[in-house]
């Protein structure tokens, strides 16, 4: 399946050759991430066994969805503040990418509160992920950038589908600000991919592999956040 590059070009890393991808390091990140999806999430590339409660059977309450928004806001707030505040050259390109979500989430939570909903404190999974992101941002930029990529790119793809499903279940189908962007994602995503490629360009192969190895952890932490809030079965009627 691999496509040869232009004559004289350095051979691509085996992952890239195997999947016919030639778009820099971010393609390696995508390849690893897609393998960690289940077949029902990604029929062509997913390699994980289907979960005990597949997405189509999730039946959270409106309160569960609010909890998910609160946990998500903590996660995005943390990642966006770290990128803004830490004086690391690797993070400068990721300030104001247009993918930021914390302000949109604040609007959604405020709107639901105005309709009479209680706003809970973040749950254990949200707090655990915020703590991990804070630690990695300060000590391990390649690992942090792996989480950055997986958090924002998953939200722009499967995250939107999950959001629409949740909205249909508990919010009469309305689209929240969390699922709207000021610019077209078709323009935003390639810009951020190019920035990730640029930042990772000088990394050693070892550093790149270290970044890729963090993908599993990013799926575990974001998966725990959803399991705690959205992945709920319908109540069994008596």
């Amino acid at each position: 399946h691999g496509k040869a590059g232009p004559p004289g070009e350095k051979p691509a890393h085996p992952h890239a050759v195997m999947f016919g991808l030639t778009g820099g390091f971010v393609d390696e990140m995508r390849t690893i991430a897609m393998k960690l999806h289940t077949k029902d999430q990604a029929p062509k590339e997913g390699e994980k066994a289907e979960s005990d409660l597949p997405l189509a059977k999730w039946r959270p309450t409106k309160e569960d969805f609010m909890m998910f928004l609160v946990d998500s806001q903590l996660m995005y707030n943390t990642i966006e503040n770290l990128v803004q505040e830490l004086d690391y050259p690797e993070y400068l390109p990721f300030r104001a990418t247009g993918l930021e979500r914390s302000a949109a989430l604040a609007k959604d939570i405020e709107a639901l509160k105005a309709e009479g909903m209680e706003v809970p404190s973040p749950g254990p999974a949200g707090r655990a992920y915020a703590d991990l992101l804070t630690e990695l941002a300060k000590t391990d930029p390649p690992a942090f950038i792996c989480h950055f990529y997986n958090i924002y790119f998953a939200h722009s793809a499967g995250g939107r589908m999950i959001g629409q499903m949740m909205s249909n279940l508990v919010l009469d189908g309305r689209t929240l600000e969390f699922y709207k962007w000021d610019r077209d994602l078709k323009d935003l995503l390639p810009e951020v991919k190019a920035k990730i490629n640029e930042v990772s360009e000088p990394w050693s192969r070892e550093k790149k592999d270290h970044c890729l190895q963090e993908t599993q952890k990013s799926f575990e932490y974001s998966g725990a956040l959803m399991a705690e809030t959205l992945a709920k079965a319908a109540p069994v009627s008596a």
Side-chain angles (χ1 to χ4, degrees):
H1 300 295
K3 292 178 187 168
E9 191 183 343
K10 277 193 310 191
H13 183 260
H15 286 146
V17 173
M18 204 187 326
F19 288 88
L21 302 166
T22 53
F25 181 59
V26 81
D27 274 350
E28 291 185 47
M29 297 175 83
R30 179 191 177 280
T31 298
I32 302 291
M34 292 310 293
K35 285 182 171 190
L36 291 173
H37 286 73
T38 58
K39 282 284 181 199
D40 61 321
Q41 293 168 332
K44 288 184 181 172
E45 296 168 274
E47 293 185 4
K48 297 291 266 190
E50 191 175 290
S51 64
D52 294 336
L53 187 68
L55 181 61
K57 294 183 179 172
W58 290 7
R59 292 296 180 272
T61 63
K62 196 172 178 180
E63 288 71 26
D64 292 327
F65 192 34
M66 172 65 111
M67 187 80 225
F68 170 70
L69 297 175
V70 167
D71 276 351
S72 297
Q73 189 193 22
L74 176 63
M75 180 181 74
Y76 283 100
N77 237 337
T78 301
I79 206 165
E80 285 158 22
N81 287 338
L82 289 164
V83 164
Q84 284 294 335
E85 291 163 12
L86 291 178
D87 197 16
Y88 286 43
E90 294 99 326
Y91 304 156
L92 288 175
F94 303 116
R95 293 178 180 175
T97 60
L99 292 181
E100 291 78 18
R101 297 287 81 203
S102 56
L105 279 158
K107 284 183 193 169
D108 289 331
I109 291 166
E110 199 50 49
L112 290 169
K113 183 183 173 186
E115 292 169 21
M117 287 196 77
E118 291 279 322
V119 181
S121 299
R127 292 195 306 270
Y129 205 178
D131 289 346
L132 177 74
L133 291 167
T134 302
E135 181 193 339
L136 291 178
K138 294 173 180 175
T139 60
D140 193 344
F144 178 73
I145 286 168
C146 175
H147 287 268
F148 179 97
Y149 166 78
N150 282 296
I151 286 169
Y152 286 101
F153 280 71
H155 180 65
S156 72
R160 281 193 295 166
M161 181 189 73
I162 291 170
Q164 194 54 58
M165 183 181 147
M166 296 304 116
S167 174
N168 290 340
L169 283 171
V170 299
L171 293 176
D172 300 321
R174 73 175 172 199
T175 303
L176 296 181
E177 295 302 313
F178 187 29
Y179 303 98
K180 298 176 189 172
W181 286 260
D182 291 340
R183 290 173 54 210
D184 196 321
L185 284 172
K186 290 191 190 75
D187 299 321
L188 287 174
L189 296 176
E191 288 173 10
V192 178
K193 284 181 183 179
K195 289 174 179 183
I196 293 171
N197 281 338
E198 194 182 317
V199 165
S200 60
E201 183 64 35
W203 292 354
S204 64
R205 185 67 248 172
E206 191 180 7
K207 207 178 243 193
K208 287 179 177 176
D209 286 341
H210 173 66
C211 172
L212 296 175
Q213 282 156 8
E214 193 70 19
T215 310
Q216 174 75 37
K217 197 181 277 185
S218 81
F219 271 65
E220 285 168 6
Y221 275 76
S222 56
L225 194 153
M226 281 201 263
E228 201 175 88
T229 54
L230 301 182
K232 306 277 182 81
V236 180
S237 49

